[in-house]
Amino acid sequence: HVQLVESGGGSVQVGGSLRLSCTISGATHSAYCMGWFRQSPGKEREGVATIYNSGGSTYYADSVKGRFTISQDNTKNTLYLQMNSLKTEDNAVYYCAVDIHGTPYRGQGTQVTVSS
């Protein structure tokens, strides 16, 4: 069965960088799209970045545009999120998610803490 495992979260200071990884296993079909969303206490869940397998087009939330980059390595079945110029507003649990034939899957999440 499909499993997503995130890694790479941690604590950094404002202006720092982190790279999140999400390894996908158990999928027998390619994902239609893959992406990252985040959730922090008291805030609505926010879609951060998405990449579409067909054509590789990407989408970013305005709040992260120019700072975050989503990418994938199909040879490793891994999705990445490079996060630069981190701000305190980026504090959240980050989840990766994929859509495979209309069925959504997500990982367990990884905490990102940005301190000033």
Side-chain angles (χ1 to χ4, degrees):
H1 81 134
V2 178
Q3 284 191 309
L4 285 68
V5 178
E6 300 100 335
S7 61
S11 298
V12 294
Q13 291 191 320
V14 168
S17 297
L18 284 172
R19 187 176 81 155
L20 306 184
S21 300
C22 173
T23 302
I24 304 162
S25 61
T28 57
H29 297 85
S30 297
Y32 166 67
C33 65
M34 299 178 286
W36 295 89
F37 67 93
R38 63 188 181 187
Q39 180 79 61
S40 52
K43 294 186 179 180
E44 290 189 2
R45 188 174 73 180
E46 180 184 23
V48 173
T50 303
I51 186 165
Y52 294 88
N53 256 351
S54 177
S57 59
T58 56
Y59 158 85
Y60 295 96
D62 287 342
S63 57
V64 307
K65 208 171 288 184
R67 300 188 297 121
F68 290 11
T69 304
I70 189 171
S71 62
Q72 62 186 53
D73 184 338
N74 288 332
T75 65
K76 298 180 180 179
N77 291 328
T78 302
L79 180 70
Y80 301 101
L81 185 69
Q82 178 67 44
M83 306 186 295
N84 299 328
S85 302
L86 283 161
K87 306 176 180 180
T88 55
E89 304 93 276
D90 297 318
N91 277 303
V93 177
Y94 285 71
Y95 301 86
C96 69
V98 301
D99 177 322
I100 300 176
H101 276 222
T103 302
Y105 301 90
R106 73 174 205 186
Q108 82 289 350
T110 185
Q111 177 72 48
V112 170
T113 302
V114 185
S115 58
S116 56

